[in-house]
């Protein structure tokens, strides 16, 4: 073995151990601890719970509902998202950068904010209160589509934008009409990105927590909210463990499917600039334009409704709810918030900074590792494994992770129960897959011969990183920082377990506010939601300016 | 002098380069000629240290290089499609190796200008790589490789991406630049015209093995077998023709 090769293997190992060790301690251990509580309460393994828990009528109803609503939301998101991706990434539509930003916005809106938003829209007295969707599955479905349209548009759009136009033109010269060209040339080329997006959307829906908890009330629950209920209210850890395993198996299956779709995509060549220039808006493309107008309205209306309602009290325009954000104790002076909303925002921000640093450092390591071309089939397998493992937190119940933290990291050598580092760590685990997904495609797109030519010109390995990778990666890196910040600011599932009662984060405060009776508490929740949304959307707006197409694409 | 001794390169079960031995005397240009897929690029990459050897050794002036990483070999490589750094302008590309040695500012500037003039691109320093034609890009790539003052210049199909008339002109220019700078070079090509114009010596590869080597004109005049003659496009001597 050469020294070069030995050095490379050593560096690779160290770079892999850091993120894997982190995930082992702060992800695998808590999840395992949670499962152990459920399956081996007295130290004796008892898998009888599977049959019993899965046999319950309630469990079957919950699983059925989760699958049905996730599938419905996925189908709608894809059917609407693909034409929107066409219009926003393939047509020379005026103002398309702004429209892209609007459609992408929900992706970074905190789940709690979206829940509050849709409730205020659909509840009695809301703009669409007459539809009777408040607390109904239709409302949850709308919120799911609202969230995930961005995933489909960005993922499919990024693929479509780079698609070589010439095969379509060739099919045209062979006598294929526009519809036939789309069906026989374009759609097969986009299929990997569509499958990838659909599986991620399904994953997000099936594991959604904040939205369902704020919107479903008592009538509707998904596997994720059921785990929460079983864990915190009913103390049925066995039931929770069974559902966690079911969820984990489903998630791994979805990730494998997405991975297969992506690996088929790897052969697609990047086309020349001239071959991917946006096309004119023809009559044939009007369908896409109309879908885009509807999608933009669908995204903008709930947001505007939220802002309007936060400014109205008893039929008049007012800033009362915003003024109340600076007071301890809530708008009516009765609801006992321990801190003001502004203090909670400060807490959220400080935690988000720590979480972002963690997620970006680890995510960069993983992205560099998984994007380097493997020199052997074994190396390739390792890379794919690492790539898959860091994606797991996308789908594993944040509730399981959060509760797992409490029951496994509560004794030496790692007694972190009361430590303030737990929340940023949990949030970093949630943000890590998104950071990796933002950076890895960009690093993969760098022709490895660029690094090789630098090496033959005398650049040391670290100089290759600094002079070839860094100039291309710094913008996506900044974008990943923004994305991690936004995700961490809005994280609710794990944080709701870990936040200390005396210093809650802003999403936790909002959830507490809507849980209390009274129009004034709701008003404060609306105002606080607007503030949180403004912060995350501003962060995302800066990210948008960096024009990194891999952000939010899968 | 570069010595390649019984080198093999494998990709999984496939043996891309099979027991090849070759010498490139200092100051000369060696062409490795063969059809695509014959393993010639793998051999070049193994010399650069970009592919591990399955067996054999590569040495330069008697010093074994098997344990020396690419960046310490002093073998600059020029790729078929240039592989210019898109985030740097032409001067930044040509000056890349200088910057790695800590040479910057006016000293680097002088050297960059001298090299650009040598490859016929004086005044191109501030251009972006994307604004260059294919031929200009390859000239910049050549200047960038020469700036490293390589002990050995490795050229991987340097002219293949160009159209014929441009290719012939650049081949002549390449020969001129290599002799003027006294550069030792190893060039991989599938085009015998390139080999004839640029190289002092030619080695012919087929299916991973070296089938013939010698003075370029000599190889041309006396192909070792019918396949080689056919590949070179010369008429097959009757005593070599298949029955």
């Amino acid at each position: 073995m050469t020294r070069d090769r030995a050095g490379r293997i050593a560096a690779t190992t160290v770079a892999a151990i850091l993120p894997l060790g982190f995930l082992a301690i702060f992800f695998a251990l808590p999840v395992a601890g949670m499962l152990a509580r459920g399956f081996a309460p007295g130290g004796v393994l008892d898998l009888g719970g599977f049959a019993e828990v899965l046999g319950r009528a309630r469990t079957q109803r919950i699983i059925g509902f989760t699958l049905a609503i996730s599938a419905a939301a996925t189908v709608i998101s894809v059917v609407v998202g693909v034409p929107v991706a066409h219009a926003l990434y393939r047509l020379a539509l005026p103002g398309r950068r702004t429209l892209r930003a609007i459609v992408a916005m929900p992706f970074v809106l905190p789940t709690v904010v979206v829940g509050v938003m849709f409730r205020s829209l659909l509840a009695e007295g809301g703009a669409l209160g007459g539809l009777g969707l408040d607390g109904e599955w239709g409302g949850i479905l709308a919120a799911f589509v609202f969230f995930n349209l961005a995933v489909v548009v960005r993922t499919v759009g990024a693929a479509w934008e780079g698609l070589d136009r010439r095969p379509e033109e060739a099919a045209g010269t062979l006598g294929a009409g526009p519809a036939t060209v789309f069906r026989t040339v374009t759609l097969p080329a986009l299929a990997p990105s569509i499958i990838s997006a659909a599986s991620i959307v399904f994953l997000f829906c099936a594991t959604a927590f904040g939205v369902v908890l704020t919107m479903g009330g008592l009538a509707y629950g998904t596997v994720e909210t059921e785990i929460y209920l079983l864990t915190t209210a009913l103390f049925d850890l066995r039931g929770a463990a069974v559902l966690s395993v079911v969820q984990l198996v489903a998630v791994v299956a979805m990730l494998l499917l997405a991975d297969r779709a992506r690996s088929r995509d790897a052969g697609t060549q990047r086309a020349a600039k001239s071959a991917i220039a946006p096309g004119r808006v023809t009559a044939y493309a009007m369908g896409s334009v109309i879908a885009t107008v509807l999608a933009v309205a669908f995204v903008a209306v709930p947001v505007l409704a939220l802002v309007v309602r936060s400014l109205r009290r008893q039929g008049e325009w007012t800033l009362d709810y915003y003024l109340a954000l600076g007071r301890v104790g809530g708008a009516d002076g009765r609801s006992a918030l321990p801190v003001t909303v502004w203090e909670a925002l400060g807490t959220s921000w400080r935690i988000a900074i720590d979480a972002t640093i963690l997620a970006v450092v680890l995510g960069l390591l993983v992205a560099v590792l998984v994007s380097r071309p493997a020199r052997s089939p074994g190396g390739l397998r390792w890379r794919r494994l690492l790539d898959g493992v860091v994606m797991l937190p996308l789908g594993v119940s944040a509730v399981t992770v959060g509760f797992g933290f409490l029951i496994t990291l509560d004794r030496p050598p790692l007694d972190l129960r009361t430590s303030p580092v737990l929340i940023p760590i949990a949030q970093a685990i949630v943000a890590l897959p998104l950071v990796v997904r933002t950076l890895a495609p960009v690093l993969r797109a760098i022709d490895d011969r660029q690094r090789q030519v630098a090496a033959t010109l005398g650049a040391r390995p670290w100089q290759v990183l600094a002079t070839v990778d860094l100039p291309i990666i710094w913008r996506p890196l900044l974008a990943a920082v923004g994305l991690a910040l936004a995700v961490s600011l809005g994280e609710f599932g794990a944080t709701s377990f870990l936040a200390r009662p005396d210093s809650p984060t802003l999403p936790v405060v909002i959830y507490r506010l809507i849980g209390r009776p009274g129009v004034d508490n709701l008003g404060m929740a609306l105002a606080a939601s607007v503030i949180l949304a403004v912060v995350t959307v501003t962060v995302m707006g800066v990210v948008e300016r960096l024009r990194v197409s891999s952000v939010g694409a899968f | 002098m570069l010595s390649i001794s019984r080198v093999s390169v494998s990709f999984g079960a496939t043996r891309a380069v099979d027991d090849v031995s070759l010498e490139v005397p200092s100051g000369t240009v060696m062409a490795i000629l063969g059809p695509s897929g014959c393993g010639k690029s793998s051999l070049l990459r193994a010399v650069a240290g970009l592919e591990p050897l399955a067996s054999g050794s590569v040495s330069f002036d008697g010093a074994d290089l098997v344990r020396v990483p690419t960046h310490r070999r002093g073998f600059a490589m020029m790729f078929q499609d240039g592989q210019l750094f898109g985030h740097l302008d032409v001067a930044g590309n040509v000056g890349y190796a200088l910057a790695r040695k800590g040479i910057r500012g006016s000293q680097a500037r002088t050297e960059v200008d001298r090299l650009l003039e040598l490859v016929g691109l004086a005044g191109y320093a501030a251009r972006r790589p994307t604004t260059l034609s294919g031929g200009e890009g390859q000239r910049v790539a050549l200047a960038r490789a020469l700036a490293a003052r390589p002990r050995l210049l490795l050229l991987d199909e340097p002219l293949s991406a160009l159209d014929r008339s441009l290719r012939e002109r650049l081949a002549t220019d390449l020969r001129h630049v290599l002799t003027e700078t006294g550069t030792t070079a190893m060039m991989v090509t599938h085009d015998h015209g390139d080999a004839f114009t640029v190289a002092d010596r030619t080695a012919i590869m087929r299916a991973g093995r070296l089938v013939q080597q010698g003075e370029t004109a000599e190889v041309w005049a006396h192909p070792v077998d019918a396949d080689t003659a056919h590949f070179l496009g010369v008429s097959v001597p009757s005593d070599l023709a298949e029955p």
Side-chain angles (χ1 to χ4, degrees), chain A residues 354-429:
Chain A
D354 295 344
T356 299
I357 293 171
L358 260 176
V360 170
V361 169
L362 295 173
L364 184 61
L365 281 175
V366 173
V368 168
L369 282 180
V370 300
S371 61
R372 291 288 164 130
R375 282 167 178 266
S376 63
L380 191 65
R381 271 196 298 278
W382 269 109
R383 265 150 237 244
R384 293 178 67 122
L385 186 69
L386 180 63
D387 198 23
V389 165
V390 296
M391 288 304 119
L392 274 182
L394 268 188
V396 171
S397 159
V399 175
T400 306
V401 176
F403 194 72
F405 267 36
L406 290 185
I407 62 171
T408 53
L409 303 176
D410 61 344
R411 58 191 98 104
L414 268 177
D415 185 3
L416 300 173
R417 209 173 5 168
T418 54
S419 162
V421 303
L422 272 192
I423 305 177
I425 287 173
Q427 293 181 347
I429 286 172

Side-chain angles (χ1 to χ4, degrees), chain A residues 86-273:
Chain A
H86 177 233
L88 294 184
Y89 286 84
R90 204 57 168 166
L91 298 179
L93 215 57
R96 61 192 181 134
R97 291 224 168 264
T98 312
L99 294 176
R100 277 186 205 177
I102 292 175
V103 174
M105 180 179 61
F107 187 69
V108 291
L109 284 183
T111 53
V112 175
V113 171
V114 173
V116 169
M117 195 182 273
F118 272 82
R119 283 201 65 181
S120 75
L121 189 68
L122 300 174
E124 259 178 79
L128 298 176
L131 296 177
L133 288 175
D134 187 31
E136 289 298 318
W137 62 268
I140 300 177
L141 182 63
F144 277 180
V145 174
F146 176 84
F147 250 125
N148 289 301
L149 205 53
V151 176
V152 177
V153 172
R154 298 200 70 118
T155 305
V156 179
W160 215 329
E161 193 174 35
L163 206 62
D164 196 330
R165 195 181 285 281
R166 287 168 299 185
E168 296 174 8
E169 291 167 351
T173 67
L174 296 171
T180 312
V181 169
F182 179 76
R183 189 171 47 81
T184 58
V185 180
T186 316
L187 201 55
L190 292 178
S193 66
I194 294 176
I195 295 171
S196 187
S199 49
I200 291 293
V201 169
F202 188 86
L203 211 63
F204 280 161
C205 293
T207 60
F209 177 63
V211 171
V212 184
L213 197 65
T214 42
M215 291 188 66
L218 296 173
Y220 292 98
T222 57
V223 172
E224 184 92 11
T225 53
E226 188 69 3
I227 294 172
Y228 176 75
L229 194 69
L230 290 173
T231 308
T232 57
L234 305 173
F235 302 108
D236 178 1
L237 292 184
R238 193 170 66 155
V242 168
L243 286 181
S244 289
V245 170
V246 168
Q247 199 181 37
L248 187 65
V249 169
V251 161
V252 170
M254 290 310 288
L255 285 174
L256 286 177
L257 184 67
D259 184 55
R260 283 183 71 111
R262 260 199 306 279
S263 61
R264 275 202 291 152
D265 199 22
T268 324
Q269 289 278 320
R270 264 245 172 257
K273 275 261 190 300

Side-chain angles (χ1 to χ4, degrees), chain A residues 27-53:
Chain A
F27 181 67
L29 187 67
V31 172
M34 186 64 187
L35 298 182
R37 280 284 172 104
F39 292 131
V44 184
L45 189 66
D46 172 21
L47 292 176
F50 264 102
E52 192 270 315
V53 175

Side-chain angles (χ1 to χ4, degrees), chain B residues 5-169:
Chain B
S5 171
R6 311 208 59 177
V7 160
S8 295
V9 176
S10 296
F11 298 102
T14 322
R15 181 141 287 205
V17 178
D18 191 4
D19 199 20
V20 167
S21 296
L22 196 67
E23 293 193 332
V24 184
S26 290
T28 66
V29 179
M30 165 73 86
I32 312 290
L33 184 60
S36 39
C38 73
K40 56 192 191 301
S41 284
S42 301
L43 176 65
L44 195 75
R45 292 169 57 81
V47 171
L50 296 170
E51 300 291 347
L53 302 183
S55 62
S57 73
V58 174
S59 60
F60 197 87
D61 289 345
D64 184 35
L65 294 177
V66 170
R67 289 168 180 281
V68 178
T70 301
H71 67 272
R72 295 221 193 89
R73 292 195 181 191
F75 296 174
M77 183 140 161
M78 180 179 163
F79 285 80
Q80 176 174 356
D81 47 3
Q83 292 296 336
L84 297 179
F85 300 125
H87 59 279
L88 299 174
D89 60 11
V90 166
N93 269 282
V94 176
Y96 185 87
L98 302 174
R100 301 288 78 72
K101 290 178 188 160
I103 303 169
R104 289 166 208 276
S106 62
Q107 197 187 347
R109 183 75 216 206
T110 313
E111 178 69 358
V112 167
D113 286 343
R114 185 184 73 77
L115 287 162
L116 283 177
E117 192 163 339
L118 180 69
V119 298
L121 289 181
Y124 274 58
R127 294 273 292 269
R128 306 299 304 186
T130 46
T131 67
L132 302 176
S133 71
E136 288 165 350
Q138 288 306 79
R139 287 170 191 269
V140 173
L142 176 62
R144 179 177 70 175
L146 290 172
R149 305 227 167 191
R151 301 192 284 172
L152 174 71
L153 180 62
L154 301 172
L155 305 151
D156 188 3
E157 302 266 11
L159 308 170
S160 297
L162 309 175
D163 62 49
R164 176 140 296 279
S165 66
L166 188 60
R167 175 177 193 138
E168 281 163 8
R169 200 166 74 230

Side-chain angles (χ1 to χ4, degrees), chain A residues 470-489:
Chain A
L470 192 63
I472 294 170
I473 199 73
W474 72 266
R475 280 153 70 104
L477 199 58
L478 276 181
V481 166
L483 194 58
L485 261 181
V487 165
S488 150
L489 280 169

Side-chain angles (χ1 to χ4, degrees), chain A residues 10-32:
Chain A
T12 306
T13 309
V14 170
I17 281 175
L18 266 172
L20 284 178
F22 180 81
L23 284 175
I25 296 171
F26 295 112
F27 181 67
L29 187 67
V31 172

